[in-house]
Amino acid sequence: MKPYGLVIAISLILAGCNSVGNEKISTKHKKWSPKYAKGFSFEEIDGVKYLNILNPWPGSNFEQQFALISENDRLKADKSLAINIPIKRWATSSTSHVGFAEELNELNSLKALSGANYVSSEGVQSRIKNNEIVELGQTGQPNIEWIIRNQIEVYLNFSIAENASVQSLLEKAQIPMIYIGEWNEKHPLARAEWIKVFGILFDKQKQADSIFAVIETNYQKWKKRAEIEGNAPNIISGSPYNGVWYAPQKNSYMQKFYEDANLNYVWKDLEYTGSLQLDMEFVFNTGKSASIWLNSSEYQYLSSLEKLNPLISELSSVQNSRVYNTSKSKVSEGVLFYEKGVVRPDLVLKDLIQIGHPDLLTKHKLEFFEKLRK
């Protein structure tokens, strides 16, 4: 797979090297890497900016490079090898990308997405009802004809592997497909830092940097507040399905949230490929006394959970009614945590601190979680 911008980069390097005998003059080259995220970087060669996408899914060695050409640039480039910024018509396969765009006030430029019924944004749902945003089809199998016919400039793709067939068809139509790998980041601030990718695509880099700086400051402030609390309550996390309890593993995204909220996640040292897969007896033996249970799947009532397995009713968290789930959207079938929570980890952390240390945040109202009713 040829990375976007490779031909441009090579031609720029060759053009910037003038030989006089054995003497060579090299091009100006600057590179910038994010503070937390590992899945992207920016660089500049002779005044032309490039976006690099790095290993967007677990275990991959996949990379992309895109030249970013503004209206003021004089670079004459094949459009199939570059992205004209700001992008004004884009489509996506992931609702999490909506959260980033909304922070940058770019919902009007969104024209289509997969999973429209699961978008929590009221602004997007309003535009869907007005036929200003359309359903793009199943993730991984977008309506390519629609994308081409409606002159979409960039398609942002969530994927757990390379989608070569879709990518090839879009490339032939000179429509770049960018693999957005924010979901592959382990640190909450690393996922949020992907707002800088959206910022550069919308030509709002300063605004994106400013938004992220506020998020980072808030996150670190609340993390330090939680550290002051000497008592870290024991918690369990995850949910049972077909007799197997799925839970966050060591060094995972959610485990980092629990650590920074000063919550003692009882399975924090367990590793597995993907989510932990635990049997109910192990869950009961190791998590019976945990005072809090987080992320208990889609259930809204304790009675529904208790029907799954007789051991569940004996968990202390259930007996004390301290079971919390990510709350459902009020305007769709979606969950706000998977959309806004990705770009606002500071608010997620605040929720978790309120759940585990209610005396620290007596006036805070939970935004992403809700307690299960009896």
Side-chain angles (χ1 to χ4, degrees):
M1 194 279 311
K2 287 186 177 181
Y4 289 104
L6 180 58
V7 174
I8 296 174
I10 293 173
S11 63
L12 283 171
I13 293 171
L14 292 176
C17 296
N18 299 321
S19 296
V20 181
N22 293 326
E23 184 179 354
K24 291 184 178 180
I25 302 173
S26 61
T27 58
K28 295 180 180 178
H29 187 188
K30 301 177 182 177
K31 191 167 185 177
W32 178 89
S33 297
K35 185 175 181 180
Y36 299 93
K38 301 182 184 301
F40 71 90
S41 67
F42 303 124
E43 59 186 314
E44 186 175 303
I45 302 174
D46 277 356
V48 179
K49 292 180 180 178
Y50 293 86
L51 165 64
N52 301 315
I53 299 295
L54 312 167
N55 309 323
W57 54 84
S60 72
N61 293 312
F62 185 91
E63 296 184 4
Q64 293 178 293
Q65 186 180 71
F66 302 89
L68 305 171
I69 312 303
S70 69
E71 295 176 357
N72 298 324
D73 287 326
R74 296 182 180 179
L75 179 67
K76 302 296 183 181
D78 184 343
K79 289 185 179 180
S80 67
L81 301 173
I83 296 173
N84 293 316
I85 57 172
I87 57 174
K88 299 175 182 177
R89 298 179 62 82
W90 61 286
T92 179
S93 65
S94 175
T95 59
S96 67
H97 303 164
V98 172
F100 292 104
E102 189 162 33
E103 287 291 323
L104 292 166
N105 194 28
E106 281 292 338
L107 293 184
N108 287 339
S109 59
L110 174 61
K111 303 303 176 183
L113 78 162
S114 298
N117 291 338
Y118 294 94
V119 178
S120 299
S121 167
E122 294 184 13
V124 170
Q125 286 299 334
S126 175
R127 296 189 66 231
I128 290 172
K129 291 179 181 177
N130 294 330
N131 296 317
E132 296 173 45
I133 297 176
V134 304
E135 171 61 54
L136 198 55
Q138 185 177 350
T139 297
Q141 297 178 347
N143 188 335
I144 295 176
E145 290 183 3
W146 188 96
I147 292 175
I148 296 172
R149 186 173 64 251
N150 287 273
Q151 300 178 318
I152 296 301
E153 298 169 350
V154 173
Y155 175 58
L156 304 182
N157 186 45
F158 157 83
S159 184
I160 59 173
E162 184 177 1
N163 195 338
S165 59
V166 171
Q167 183 176 342
S168 176
L169 290 170
L170 291 177
E171 284 183 3
K172 288 178 181 178
Q174 298 186 349
I175 300 174
M177 182 172 89
I178 307 178
Y179 288 88
I180 302 295
E182 102 289 337
W183 66 276
N184 194 31
E185 304 282 359
K186 297 298 188 290
H187 195 294
L189 287 174
R191 294 196 184 187
E193 197 168 17
W194 276 76
I195 194 173
K196 296 177 181 180
V197 172
F198 288 80
I200 203 168
L201 292 174
F202 295 127
D203 202 15
K204 293 183 175 181
Q205 196 165 9
K206 289 184 179 179
Q207 183 179 344
D209 289 346
S210 177
I211 291 171
F212 179 74
V214 172
I215 293 169
E216 180 187 23
T217 298
N218 290 343
Y219 189 97
Q220 298 295 359
K221 178 182 72 174
W222 286 110
K223 176 185 174 183
K224 290 180 179 178
R225 285 285 300 273
E227 288 174 351
I228 297 174
E229 286 290 309
N231 178 40
N234 292 333
I235 71 161
I236 56 175
S237 181
S239 58
Y241 180 76
N242 286 341
V244 178
W245 187 294
Y246 295 88
Q249 66 157 318
K250 180 179 180 180
N251 297 326
S252 64
Y253 174 68
M254 286 308 305
Q255 194 274 329
K256 183 59 179 173
F257 266 127
Y258 301 153
E259 176 185 333
D260 290 345
N262 195 15
L263 305 176
N264 184 35
Y265 177 45
V266 297
W267 304 315
K268 61 177 181 284
D269 295 322
L270 299 181
E271 292 184 271
Y272 196 81
T273 302
S275 300
L276 295 177
Q277 298 181 23
L278 311 173
D279 63 59
M280 278 304 305
E281 289 188 5
F282 178 85
V283 169
F284 181 76
N285 291 333
T286 58
K288 180 180 184 300
S289 62
S291 59
I292 299 170
W293 176 3
L294 294 170
N295 293 333
S296 57
S297 189
E298 76 278 7
Y299 299 103
Q300 296 178 298
Y301 294 91
L302 288 173
S303 57
S304 299
L305 276 180
E306 290 175 314
K307 292 177 182 178
L308 298 178
N309 190 291
L311 291 176
I312 288 178
S313 61
E314 299 185 38
L315 296 173
S316 295
S317 54
V318 174
Q319 293 178 347
N320 296 325
S321 298
R322 297 195 69 186
V323 182
Y324 296 83
N325 197 2
T326 46
S327 55
K328 293 187 176 182
S329 169
K330 296 179 180 179
V331 296
S332 73
E333 299 176 37
V335 176
L336 190 63
F337 174 84
Y338 298 117
E339 188 173 314
K340 184 178 179 181
V342 175
V343 69
R344 293 305 306 268
D346 53 330
L347 300 181
V348 175
L349 183 66
K350 203 171 182 180
D351 269 12
L352 292 171
I353 293 173
Q354 200 280 336
I355 291 171
H357 309 283
D359 292 340
L360 280 179
L361 296 168
T362 55
K363 297 182 180 181
H364 176 66
K365 184 178 180 181
L366 296 179
E367 184 165 356
F368 299 103
F369 295 87
E370 61 184 0
K371 181 184 288 189
L372 269 66
R373 299 183 287 275
K374 293 185 177 180

